Amino acid sequence: MNLKGRSLLTLKDYTSKEIAYLIELAFELKQKKKQGITGNSLKGKNIALIFEKPSTRTRCAFTVGCIDEGGHPEYLGKDDIQLGHKESIEDTARVLGRMFDGIEFRGYKQETAEKLAEYSEVPVWNGLTDTYHPTQILADFLTLKEHFGKLKGLKLVYVGDGRNNMANSLMIGCSKMGIHFTILAPQVLWPDDALVETCKSYASVSGSELEVSDSLDVVEGADAIYTDVWCSMGEEEKADERIALLKPYQVNHNLLARTKKQNTIFLHCLPAVKGNEVTEEVFERFANLIFDQAENRMHTIKAVMVATLGNI
Ligand code: CP
Ligand code: NVA
């Protein structure tokens, strides 16, 4: 599989085979790392890490993944560079493209990630925008694969803000990989109709089902329940409104009981606001898996950099 020179702006641009390849490569890199073996496939490569928004996992995953493979990461925080303030995104992109071999971008607009890719002419990896969070999904899928031994045919229910970056990206990824996917959210937080239609077309190819509902009954039979914060970065002022809207959708003991299954797992992309989207009790019950999921950010992000930029 040759992904050299490719950006990762959204999983819409990747086939199910390419996604499966990245998960497999991440699994191999993880096994090697556990044996103390790191690589040098990014030797001589300089990687810019642009963060308009804060990050723990994504920043650390890109940094450690890059260094493990012999590359040099350079953190460029929101107050460090001119991006979009005193210099256009197009110009910053052209400068960075002359100096760096790859660029990670975390920020607000998806359009900024797209412009960076177009004008820098080096691979750009989306480390989260308001619209998508594709590298998170790769980590989620590696975690599901490690736990269940497969992806195809699983049933995943995402509960909460059904129109945020996580809901969008899970919907794309699941419908491509044959995972039955349900968004459970109040109607005002349902995803964009056009994206749902696009994902339904992926689901018809992969053989999975895609549903959006506001009824708690849809969790029945779920292999995995997934949630995310009720207010994404940049939406902090909506806290009161969201709490009122989403309280009935908290992942708690009662919601898990509605799956009518003993072996349903719970996942969270983190950071979590315990007491809002998930109770402390449920979070701690699944803490080992949730932190496997967090660790898997590093192995999967490393796989993305190695596959698209590395000498392999
Ligand atoms: N899940 C995730 O992207 O975490 P950070 O915001 O800490 O990077
Ligand atoms: N929806 C969250 C995801 C954090 C990883 C946010 O954008 O803040």
Side-chain angles (χ1 to χ4, degrees), residues 30-308:
K30 181 172 180 176
Q31 301 314 307
K32 283 192 180 153
K33 172 116 179 170
K34 299 279 173 204
Q35 295 163 35
I37 305 167
T38 50
N40 60 2
S41 76
L42 296 174
K43 194 169 181 325
K45 306 288 188 198
N46 291 294
I47 292 175
L49 307 179
I50 305 177
F51 281 84
E52 283 182 344
K53 292 177 178 175
S55 163
T56 300
R57 280 143 290 269
T58 310
R59 173 183 179 173
C60 297
F62 271 99
T63 304
V64 173
C66 176
I67 292 172
D68 273 357
E69 287 294 324
H72 171 84
E74 188 66 31
Y75 180 78
L76 303 170
K78 71 175 173 42
D79 299 322
D80 299 332
I81 55 169
Q82 312 284 15
L83 187 78
H85 300 294
K86 280 180 101 175
E87 187 170 54
S88 70
I89 290 151
E90 290 85 341
D91 287 357
T92 303
R94 285 184 284 187
V95 172
L96 295 180
R98 297 289 181 108
M99 300 190 191
F100 289 94
D101 303 287
I103 299 171
E104 179 277 353
F105 173 74
R106 165 172 288 200
Y108 293 89
K109 294 184 184 157
Q110 181 69 13
E111 194 193 344
T112 308
E114 287 163 9
K115 275 191 190 164
L116 283 170
E118 184 181 348
Y119 286 88
S120 69
E121 298 183 5
V122 297
V124 172
W125 309 295
N126 180 352
L128 179 150
T129 62
D130 290 345
T131 322
Y132 301 122
H133 195 8
T135 63
Q136 177 69 50
I137 309 311
L138 298 176
D140 301 340
F141 287 178
L142 176 58
T143 312
L144 287 170
K145 186 106 194 277
E146 286 173 334
H147 186 80
F148 292 107
K150 62 171 190 177
L151 293 179
K152 203 169 170 59
L154 293 177
K155 175 174 174 171
L156 190 150
V157 179
Y158 171 89
V159 192
D161 178 2
R163 38 140 295 284
N164 73 7
N165 40 22
M166 281 308 307
N168 290 343
S169 286
L170 278 169
M171 182 161 61
I172 296 165
C174 289
S175 57
K176 287 207 172 202
M177 301 308 285
I179 299 171
H180 304 303
F181 182 65
T182 304
I183 288 183
L184 169 56
Q187 287 198 22
V188 290
L189 294 175
W190 281 8
D192 178 54
D193 286 339
L195 184 62
V196 174
E197 284 315 305
T198 301
C199 291
K200 281 196 171 155
S201 72
Y202 302 149
S204 70
V205 174
S206 73
S208 68
E209 282 163 24
L210 170 56
E211 186 186 9
V212 181
S213 173
D214 60 2
S215 163
L216 300 183
D217 294 339
V218 295
V219 301
E220 187 170 340
D223 295 298
I225 304 277
Y226 196 121
T227 192
D228 182 16
V229 287
W230 287 347
C231 291
S232 288
M233 287 178 271
E235 295 185 332
E236 288 75 11
E237 82 289 352
K238 294 200 162 93
D240 290 346
E241 175 191 323
R242 289 285 167 77
I243 290 170
L245 259 173
L246 286 165
K247 198 80 194 157
Y249 297 87
Q250 183 188 61
V251 181
N252 53 32
H253 176 80
N254 290 338
L255 190 82
L256 281 177
R258 280 173 174 266
T259 64
K260 300 190 179 147
K261 283 182 88 162
Q262 294 303 315
N263 54 355
T264 304
I265 64 165
F266 168 71
L267 294 175
H268 195 307
C269 57
L270 303 179
V273 183
K274 293 171 220 170
N276 272 8
E277 73 271 9
V278 59
T279 56
E280 176 112 31
E281 182 269 318
V282 168
F283 186 93
E284 291 305 327
R285 190 151 32 113
F286 293 95
N288 280 343
L289 259 175
I290 294 166
F291 292 107
D292 280 348
Q293 190 187 359
E295 178 191 327
N296 284 341
R297 298 297 311 287
M298 201 281 284
H299 306 297
T300 44
I301 280 174
K302 187 193 281 181
V304 170
M305 290 189 286
V306 167
T308 57

